[in-house]
Amino acid sequence: MVSTINKKAQIIGREFPMTDRDFTRIRHIAYEATGITLSDHKKNMVYGRLTRRLRRLNIDRFCDYCDLIEHRDAQELSYFVNAITTNLTAFFRENHHFEYMKNVFIPELIRENAATRRIRIWSAGCSTGEEPYSIAMVLKSFPQLINWDVKVLATDLDSDVVAKAKSGDYPMMRIDSVPREYKRNLQFDNETEQARVKDAVKKFITFKQLNLLHPWKMKGPFDAIFCRNVVIYFDMNTRKLLFNRYADILSESGMLFVGHSESLQKVSDRFISLGKTIYRKKT
Ligand SMILES: C[S@@+](CC[C@H](N)C(=O)[O-])C[C@H]1O[C@@H](n2cnc3c(N)ncnc32)[C@H](O)[C@@H]1O
């Protein structure tokens, strides 16, 4: 006869026992540390990603691993956070945003910011860097901006992806989605099958590790924030707080770009929808 305890331990009956209680603890720690809500169907994913840590630490049981991160072992908590984030991204992902930037938003900013000659854009949840590099490539395509003060801030919670983003190196297949007009911003190495973002694009961007739920050191104002495919992992309350803070740090009538499955409906009334997941702050 299989006891209840054994059954629970066998939720995922593989190398390490992970009980319902372990998963609840993991879920709680993840929420506290990142705002990410892990639903039941993420159990297998969480198991797969964390077992590597258990092996590395020579820990046999998830309950012992939970003890470790609950007691705020800072180094391990950082590995844990990096393990549970989902970092899927691509160059010029949801390209209609970059088309809008090129055809409407930047020409508008060039007129509106003519006095200050300053542009600030934030890629919040930048993952491995494809999003901020896409933004910088569009900015660089405007010769009128040559003597302007133009900066892109790119931040993510996951320190591994920020390090990768900083390097600007990508396997050749990752750059397939870069439109032909922007390919000249990359250097190719056929031997290693790697592409490297050129310094002329990199110079626009500052990469930083930042938890969006913590206090922000930067003051803004930003002309635009890209926060795409990040809040899908957050609950309603966290979204409300975050979008309110975005409205505060955006310039008057600043722009907000969100992911294809994200909407501000019932989340914030401080933005007007321009369609296609593009929003403008209400004045
Ligand atoms: C799916 S990626 C989206 C990347 C890019 N914005 C895009 O749309 O292609 C989501 C990113 O949000 C980051 N993230 C999740 N929670 C975060 C938090 N609390 N603070 C900052 N970044 C967070 C993850 O580390 C991950 O790299």
Side-chain angles (χ1 to χ4, degrees):
M1 195 180 76
V2 182
S3 72
T4 320
I5 294 172
N6 270 346
K7 255 195 211 155
K8 280 194 171 171
Q10 288 165 359
I11 287 167
I12 299 167
R14 288 180 255 161
E15 195 178 349
F16 304 100
M18 185 199 256
T19 64
D20 280 345
R21 189 172 132 66
D22 295 335
F23 186 65
T24 303
R25 287 172 77 191
I26 289 169
R27 190 159 33 196
H28 182 73
I29 301 161
Y31 181 74
E32 289 291 307
T34 68
I36 294 172
T37 52
L38 296 169
S39 55
D40 276 344
H41 74 270
K42 293 275 169 70
K43 261 182 201 163
N44 279 332
M45 179 206 88
V46 169
Y47 179 88
R49 291 183 184 181
L50 292 182
T51 45
R52 272 173 256 153
R53 292 305 309 155
L54 270 75
R55 266 185 229 121
R56 172 69 60 93
L57 296 163
N58 267 326
I59 292 178
D60 298 332
R61 302 181 311 169
F62 269 97
C63 57
D64 297 330
Y65 185 70
C66 290
D67 286 344
L68 187 70
I69 46 177
E70 264 173 4
H71 291 107
R72 296 280 181 262
D73 178 314
Q75 177 68 48
E76 192 50 41
L77 194 61
S78 157
Y79 284 125
F80 169 77
V81 164
N82 292 358
I84 59 152
T85 56
T86 297
N87 309 115
L88 184 76
T89 188
F91 282 104
F92 292 86
R93 182 182 195 185
E94 297 171 39
N95 191 29
H96 60 275
H97 287 159
F98 301 100
E99 295 280 342
Y100 182 86
M101 244 190 105
K102 182 180 144 204
N103 298 323
V104 183
F105 174 52
I106 301 298
E108 230 171 60
L109 265 189
I110 289 175
R111 286 192 299 275
E112 282 167 13
N113 293 4
T116 59
R117 296 163 76 86
R118 175 186 185 277
I119 293 180
R120 293 288 182 271
I121 298 181
W122 180 13
S123 165
C126 66
S127 188
T128 40
E130 289 85 337
E131 180 178 275
Y133 285 128
S134 305
I135 296 169
M137 286 183 203
V138 176
L139 288 165
K140 191 177 159 288
S141 71
F142 283 86
Q144 304 95 305
L145 295 178
I146 276 176
N147 291 318
W148 281 44
D149 172 16
V150 180
K151 292 200 172 96
V152 178
L153 173 67
T155 64
D156 201 284
L157 166 70
D158 180 335
S159 54
D160 289 340
V161 293
V162 174
K164 208 168 173 315
K166 266 187 198 164
S167 79
D169 291 332
Y170 297 92
M172 212 76 105
M173 58 187 282
R174 301 277 310 153
I175 52 112
D176 285 350
S177 57
V178 177
R180 192 202 292 250
E181 62 184 298
Y182 299 114
K183 285 245 163 75
R184 60 174 170 221
N185 293 301
L186 299 155
Q187 259 161 256
F188 302 101
D189 184 335
N190 289 326
E191 237 168 68
T192 58
E193 301 214 333
Q194 288 279 310
R196 166 163 292 188
V197 179
K198 289 187 182 168
D199 288 345
V201 173
K202 278 185 167 176
K203 70 169 192 202
F204 285 104
I205 311 176
T206 306
F207 288 100
K208 285 209 179 328
Q209 197 260 348
L210 174 82
N211 186 338
L212 290 170
L213 310 188
H214 289 173
W216 303 336
K217 284 202 185 113
M218 61 279 188
K219 301 241 174 336
F222 289 96
D223 299 293
I225 297 174
F226 283 67
C227 183
R228 308 184 313 155
N229 309 297
V230 177
V231 304
I232 26 167
Y233 307 105
F234 295 167
D235 63 14
M236 189 55 124
N237 199 37
T238 309
R239 288 179 197 195
K240 282 185 177 167
L241 290 170
L242 185 60
F243 285 117
N244 200 36
R245 293 173 76 198
Y246 283 157
D248 288 342
I249 205 166
L250 275 168
S251 61
E252 203 179 303
S253 71
M255 305 291 300
L256 177 65
F257 298 85
V258 301
H260 63 283
S261 62
E262 296 161 336
S263 151
L264 295 199
Q265 225 185 351
K266 298 193 182 145
V267 178
S268 174
D269 57 8
R270 297 186 63 189
F271 295 89
I272 301 164
S273 169
L274 304 184
K276 289 190 160 187
T277 55
I278 302 172
Y279 292 85
R280 188 184 285 282
K281 180 172 141 180
K282 282 185 191 165
T283 45

